[in-house]
């Protein structure tokens, strides 16, 4: 069977709900178009070790609703070295495969680009809960993570109201406050602290006090991981406002759970698009969700500087939480 009839798929970096729907779409649409589709287990590490298996229609049955990734994922230091990159590409070429779909974050896309330099046609599908990839409005997993935060905060709100307390909730986002901003806006947080926007804890404390004075019985402050040390923030707010607060760190629950309908949908669209561009003979492509459509862009778009922080949503959140 010739090279143009074979394609492999792997997941890499952090797992994200909806990756399985993307894997399923790659496998099923590939087989529909008479391709042999191969799954690579454990990301680039598995690729270097030759963990490559042909997928059948049944290999992806009953997975769309499951979180995580059936192909497993890994971080692989060897891929940063030329020797590792060559070995990874050779594993595919030895099996007569010269095309690979990489589902992951921008680090994984850099790994894909390294494989392109070694004779592999590559297609990147943005899969990360952080929504931090340049060139796409949304990444697979972001919507589910935001929904998880909203659900968790609604539970915290019950206890916050009963005790008439401020709760400070840390959500994921070391360099990018997308989860914090969207979930904070969705739940009507009193304040949202992001790595992208400087904040003044004295002002936040004054706002908390104003709220309580006019009869609010609880307050929720959403803090992205990268905005600062949550315990220090809580301590300072306690000192400035003179009343108690509680900290909740949501952690890895934000990565897990069944994908939202939107993430399964996005996974299907993006996986399908990857096969479409493969059949068109393209390479070094990233699949992007732009203006409510799934389109192909050059993979290098993902490495362009991030668009400037969009203050529209942040300002709205502040206006709504006066
Ligand atoms: P997430 O956003 O969930 O962290 P990611 O894909 O950005 O996902 P990384 O840990 O940055 O996660 O990258 C995943 C893997 O991709 C790395 O372990 C490594 O194997 C490969 N990779 C990352 N950067 C490079 C690079 N510059 N060159 C070659 N391979 C890379």
């Amino acid at each position: 069977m010739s090279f143009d009839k074979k394609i492999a798929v792997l997941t890499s970096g952090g797992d994200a709900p909806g990756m399985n729907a993307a894997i399923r779409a790659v496998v099923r649409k590939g087989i529909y178009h008479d391709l042999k589709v191969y799954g690579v287990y454990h990301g680039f590490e598995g690729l270097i070790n030759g963990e490559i298996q042909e997928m059948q229609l049944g290999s992806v049955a009953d997975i769309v609703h499951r979180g995580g990734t059936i192909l497993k994922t890994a971080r692989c230091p060897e891929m940063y070295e030329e020797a590792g990159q060559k070995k990874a590409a050779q594993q595919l070429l030895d099996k007569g495969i010269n095309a690979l779909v990489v589902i992951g974050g921008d680090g994984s896309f850099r790994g894909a680009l390294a494989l392109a330099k070694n004779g592999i046609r590559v297609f990147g599908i943005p899969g990360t809960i952080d929504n931090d990839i340049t060139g796409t409005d949304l990444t697979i997993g972001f919507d589910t993570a935001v929904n998880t935060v909203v659900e968790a905060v609604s539970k915290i709100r019950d206890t916050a109201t009963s005790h008439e307390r401020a709760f400070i909730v840390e959500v994921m986002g070391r360099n990018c406050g997308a989860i914090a901003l969207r979930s904070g806006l969705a739940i009507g947080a009193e304040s949202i602290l992001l790595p992208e926007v400087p904040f003044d804890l004295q002002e936040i404390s004054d706002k908390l006090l104003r709220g309580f004075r006019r009869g609010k019985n609880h307050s929720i402050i959403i803090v992205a991981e990268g905005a600062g040390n949550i315990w220090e923030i809580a301590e300072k707010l306690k000192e400035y406002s003179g009343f108690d607060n509680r900290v909740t760190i949501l952690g890895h629950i934000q990565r897990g759970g069944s994908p939202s309908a939107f993430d399964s949908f996005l996974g299907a669209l993006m996986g399908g698009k990857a096969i479409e561009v493969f059949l068109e003979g393209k390479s070094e492509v990233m699949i992007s969700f732009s203006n409510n459509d799934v389109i192909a862009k050059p993979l290098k778009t993902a490495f362009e500087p991030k668009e400037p922080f969009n203050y529209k949503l942040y300002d709205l959140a502040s206006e709504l939480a006066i």
Side-chain angles (χ1 to χ4, degrees), residues 7 23 26 65 70 116 146 154 156 158 180 239 242 265 275 287 316:
I7 188 164
I23 296 167
V26 169
H65 57 291
I70 60 155
V146 169
S154 80
I156 290 166
D158 288 343
E239 185 188 319
F265 170 72
I275 292 295
I287 309 302
L316 177 63

Side-chain angles (χ1 to χ4, degrees), residues 243-265:
F243 65 87
D244 210 6
N245 57 48
R246 289 286 181 274
V247 167
T248 303
I249 299 174
L250 293 184
H252 280 83
I253 65 161
Q254 294 161 91
R255 280 256 183 89
S258 295
S260 64
F262 181 79
D263 275 329
S264 297
F265 170 72

Side-chain angles (χ1 to χ4, degrees), residues 12-14 44 74-76 79-80 85 104-108 110-111 114 128 130:
S12 168
F44 292 123
R75 308 218 187 241
C76 171
M79 265 306 279
Y80 292 96
Q85 297 161 5
D106 56 350
S108 302
R110 286 186 194 280
T128 166
D130 293 328

Side-chain angles (χ1 to χ4, degrees), residues 263-318:
D263 275 329
S264 297
F265 170 72
L266 190 61
L269 291 188
M270 288 186 161
K273 189 72 180 178
I275 292 295
E276 190 183 312
V277 293
F278 166 81
L279 293 170
E280 287 167 0
K282 295 187 175 132
S283 180
E284 291 179 45
V285 162
M286 82 174 263
I287 309 302
S288 153
F289 186 74
S290 300
N291 300 320
N292 221 21
D293 196 11
V294 169
I295 59 170
K297 289 187 176 177
L299 189 62
K300 62 178 184 340
T301 314
F303 314 126
E304 285 169 7
K306 305 242 168 288
E307 279 141 32
F309 183 75
N310 180 352
Y311 276 90
K312 246 165 67 182
L313 292 183
Y314 184 79
D315 290 345
L316 177 63
S318 306

Side-chain angles (χ1 to χ4, degrees), residues 18 20-21 24 61-67 257-260 264:
N20 283 331
R24 175 177 177 271
D62 210 20
I63 64 167
V64 269
H65 57 291
R66 297 211 197 129
S258 295
S260 64
S264 297

Side-chain angles (χ1 to χ4, degrees), residues 7-143:
I7 188 164
V9 55
L10 62 75
T11 48
S12 168
D15 60 307
M19 280 183 165
N20 283 331
I23 296 167
R24 175 177 177 271
V26 169
V27 171
R28 291 266 168 105
K29 185 162 168 141
I31 293 174
Y32 179 88
H33 287 279
D34 296 325
L35 308 179
K36 272 185 188 276
V37 186
Y38 296 81
V40 180
Y41 289 83
H42 302 109
F44 292 123
E45 191 178 293
L47 181 56
I48 289 171
N49 296 328
E51 293 181 58
I52 305 169
Q53 272 176 28
E54 190 180 343
M55 308 289 275
Q56 311 297 342
L57 290 175
S59 317
V60 290
D62 210 20
I63 64 167
V64 269
H65 57 291
R66 297 211 197 129
T69 155
I70 60 155
L71 292 178
K72 314 293 181 194
T73 182
R75 308 218 187 241
C76 171
E78 248 186 294
M79 265 306 279
Y80 292 96
E81 312 292 336
E82 242 179 70
Q85 297 161 5
K86 281 200 181 346
K87 205 165 158 194
Q90 200 55 49
Q91 288 285 9
L92 290 170
L93 296 170
D94 286 350
K95 286 198 152 45
I97 308 164
N98 76 346
L100 177 69
V101 178
V102 172
I103 308 171
D106 56 350
S108 302
F109 286 5
R110 286 186 194 280
L113 210 56
L115 294 177
K117 294 201 175 87
N118 288 280
I120 307 296
R121 293 170 61 200
V122 291
F123 309 88
I125 294 183
T128 166
I129 63 164
D130 293 328
N131 203 32
D132 59 351
I133 300 185
T134 306
T136 184
D137 295 347
L138 290 169
T139 57
I140 294 171
F142 174 63
D143 183 65

